[in-house]
Structures are given as structure tokens and as C-alpha cells.
């Protein structure tokens, strides 16, 4: 009896499905004006261009549909892609919008009733509204106790405290201050909504990029005298100042 070689135990495993948490920015829309959406997205991207460049993004139309504001999904996707953002899914859409998304090969994600807080634990929201930006006053501090590993992105609406290493190839962003009590090897962007009083503190400076309120320095611009040392970074006269702690 012959044996199918494809079914033998000696066949090498070539793939595996695994469950994991993948943080993706969520774009929540409150107004259907493409002009206003593009304008506010450009402003936000301008604050941290390296963070948003080629970033995957989930489109949330729930608030639009609550207000009976329709938006052509094709035009929205086109505008977002022109800003170098990559839509990877749509949620909160109606039947027609879901069909438009699927026609563009964009997956449709179901909203779970009463479970929005669980979803928000995995994703950070970017709100685009021409009426008024979401205030960050009183925003809670985000505390991370595990290493931030390569490929991960973290966004805090308040201060951000990391008690471990921030690896190369990562991006951490905060509207307030950033504290890293391990080695800072990735990209750190504080005051991303224009807060020029924000500061970055780290125990071991090895960063690929540091930025406060959109003013940044890359690794090549960092003086060797501050490398592998505990420092604080702040703005003074629109220039980044690095001081040893």
C-alpha cells in the first residue's frame, strides 16, 4: 500500500495559527466632511510623522451612523491611504458601508454590545472631529511593567511610565511626559498634541529617536556623552535639551 508523502509525520510544519494581541490605532469619526478629516489627520501626523507613517489603522464609523451621517467608504479609504496610513479594517458600519469595505478587501469587524471597554484595552483611539479636539486634562497615567518589544506601539493620553526596557523598533507616544526606567532603545515621542512642557526621562539613553511636541532628534544627532546614561529631555527655546540626571 502506497503512502501519500504529504500526509506522513515526517512532513515539515510550514505554518501555525496563534492568538495574540496586536495594538492598532482606531480612527473614530464624528463628522463626515472629508475635508475636515484630512485636515485634522494631517495636523496629527505632523506632530509625529515617524509614528504614523505606514501605520495600520482601524476605521470606526459607529458615531457617524448614530448621527445619521453617511460617508463613502471608498473615498474615505482613498484619502487615508494618500496620507500614508493603511486601513486594515472597518467597524460600526451599516450594511452598505460593510459591502463597500469588503469590495476594497478591507475586513469588517463586528461591534460587541457592551464590550467596547474590552476592545479599547487593546487599541488606542485617535478622534477626528472638526468641532473640538478631545481634551487631555485629567487623562490617566499609563503604566507598563513588561518590556515593550520590537514592532510594538504604545500611545498614552496622559503620562506614560515604562518600568522595563523599550526595545529597538518600538514607538512609545504620550500626550504628557514619558518615563522609562529601563533602557530606551526605540522611539519616544512626548507631548504629541503640542505640549511643549512635556519631558522624557530615561535610565539608559540609547534611543533611535526622541521628540517633544514635534521637535525631534534621531540617534545620529545624540551626543555620545549622554549615551547609556540616565537623562531628562525637555524643550527650551524650541530646541531639545538633554541633561544628565
Amino acid at each position: 500500500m502506497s503512502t501519500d508523502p504529504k500526509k506522513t509525520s515526517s512532513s515539515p510544519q510550514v505554518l501555525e495559527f496563534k492568538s495574540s494581541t496586536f495594538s492598532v490605532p482606531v480612527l473614530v469619526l464624528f463628522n463626515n466632511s472629508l475635508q475636515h478629516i484630512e485636515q485634522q489627520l494631517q495636523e496629527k501626523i505632523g506632530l509625529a510623522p515617524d509614528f504614523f507613517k505606514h501605520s495600520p489603522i482601524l476605521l470606526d464609523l459607529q458615531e457617524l451612523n448614530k448621527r445619521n451621517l453617511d460617508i463613502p467608504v471608498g473615498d474615505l479609504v482613498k484619502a487615508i491611504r494618500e496620507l500614508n496610513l493603511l486601513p486594515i479594517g472597518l467597524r460600526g458600519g451599516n450594511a452598505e458601508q460593510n459591502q463597500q469595505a469588503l469590495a476594497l478587501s478591507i475586513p469588517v469587524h463586528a461591534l460587541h454590545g457592551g464590550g467596547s471597554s474590552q476592545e479599547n484595552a487593546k487599541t488606542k483611539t485617535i478622534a477626528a472631529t472638526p468641532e473640538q479636539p478631545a481634551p487631555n486634562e485629567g487623562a490617566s497615567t499609563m503604566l507598563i511593567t513588561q518590556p515593550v518589544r520590537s514592532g510594538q506601539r504604545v500611545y498614552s493620553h496622559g503620562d506614560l511610565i515604562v518600568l522595563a526596557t523599550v526595545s529597538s523598533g518600538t514607538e512609545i507616544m504620550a500626550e504628557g511626559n514619558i518615563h522609562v526606567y529601563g533602557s530606551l532603545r526605540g522611539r519616544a515621542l512626548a507631548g504629541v498634541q503640542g505640549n511643549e512642557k512635556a519631558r522624557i526621562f530615561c535610565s539608559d539613553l540609547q534611543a533611535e529617536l526622541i521628540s517633544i511636541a514635534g521637535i525631534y532628534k534621531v540617534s545620529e544627532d545624540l551626543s555620545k556623552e549622554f549615551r547609556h546614561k540616565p537623562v531628562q529631555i525637555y524643550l527650551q527655546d524650541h530646541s531639545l535639551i538633554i541633561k544628565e540626571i
Side-chain angles (χ1 to χ4, degrees), residues 165-166 168 172 178 180-188 200-211 217-219 221-234 240-245:
T165 295
V166 177
S168 299
I172 58 174
I178 291 177
V180 179
Y181 291 98
S183 296
L184 172 56
R185 298 183 182 132
R187 300 177 177 183
I200 298 173
F201 304 86
C202 68
S203 300
D204 177 16
L205 180 63
Q206 303 180 45
E208 298 170 351
L209 177 145
I210 53 174
S211 172
K217 287 185 178 182
V218 295
S219 176
D221 299 329
L222 302 179
S223 174
K224 292 183 179 180
E225 67 175 301
F226 297 118
R227 290 189 174 275
H228 302 285
K229 292 182 179 180
V231 300
Q232 64 168 316
I233 302 157
Y234 59 93
L240 280 180
I241 305 298
I242 304 175
K243 274 192 176 180
E244 191 172 345
I245 299 175

Side-chain angles (χ1 to χ4, degrees), residues 8-227:
T8 63
S9 59
S10 60
S11 298
Q13 182 177 0
V14 296
L15 59 83
E16 180 181 6
F17 284 103
K18 285 189 175 182
S19 176
S20 65
T21 298
F22 177 57
S23 295
V24 178
V26 179
L27 181 65
V28 181
L29 300 177
F30 300 97
N31 189 284
N32 62 350
S33 168
L34 284 173
Q35 180 181 356
H36 284 125
I37 292 170
E38 289 182 53
Q39 179 182 345
Q40 288 206 1
L41 278 176
Q42 286 173 345
E43 291 173 357
K44 291 180 179 292
I45 291 171
L47 294 172
D50 291 313
F51 179 82
F52 286 106
K53 186 176 181 180
H54 300 146
S55 170
I57 195 166
L58 180 66
L59 307 177
D60 190 320
L61 306 185
Q62 183 181 23
E63 293 298 324
L64 279 186
N65 287 321
K66 282 182 180 178
R67 304 176 188 193
N68 295 317
L69 297 174
D70 191 26
I71 191 168
V73 173
D75 293 343
L76 175 63
V77 168
K78 180 182 178 182
I80 289 175
R81 285 175 174 167
E82 287 177 351
L83 293 172
N84 290 322
L85 297 172
L86 305 175
I88 62 167
L90 180 138
R91 73 180 184 188
N94 55 35
E96 183 179 354
Q97 290 165 341
N98 291 344
Q99 283 299 115
Q100 293 173 8
L102 292 172
L104 295 169
S105 299
I106 294 178
V108 173
H109 297 259
L111 283 169
H112 302 285
S116 59
S117 60
Q118 179 181 6
E119 182 68 23
N120 288 338
K122 299 180 181 179
T123 59
K124 296 299 167 185
T125 300
I126 304 169
T129 167
E131 289 91 351
Q132 58 181 3
N136 64 356
E137 294 181 4
S140 60
T141 297
M142 178 184 292
L143 175 65
I144 296 178
T145 59
Q146 300 296 323
V148 183
R149 305 193 182 281
S150 180
Q152 289 185 310
R153 291 179 167 187
V154 178
Y155 188 102
S156 172
H157 290 283
D159 287 354
L160 173 63
I161 300 175
V162 183
L163 300 182
T165 295
V166 177
S167 302
S168 299
T170 63
E171 291 175 317
I172 58 174
M173 299 178 66
E175 295 179 16
N177 303 308
I178 291 177
H179 303 257
V180 179
Y181 291 98
S183 296
L184 172 56
R185 298 183 182 132
R187 300 177 177 183
L189 301 93
V192 294
Q193 295 293 340
N195 181 4
E196 296 183 354
K197 295 182 180 179
R199 297 194 177 208
I200 298 173
F201 304 86
C202 68
S203 300
D204 177 16
L205 180 63
Q206 303 180 45
E208 298 170 351
L209 177 145
I210 53 174
S211 172
I212 296 178
I215 298 174
Y216 68 93
K217 287 185 178 182
V218 295
S219 176
E220 293 78 5
D221 299 329
L222 302 179
S223 174
K224 292 183 179 180
E225 67 175 301
F226 297 118
R227 290 189 174 275

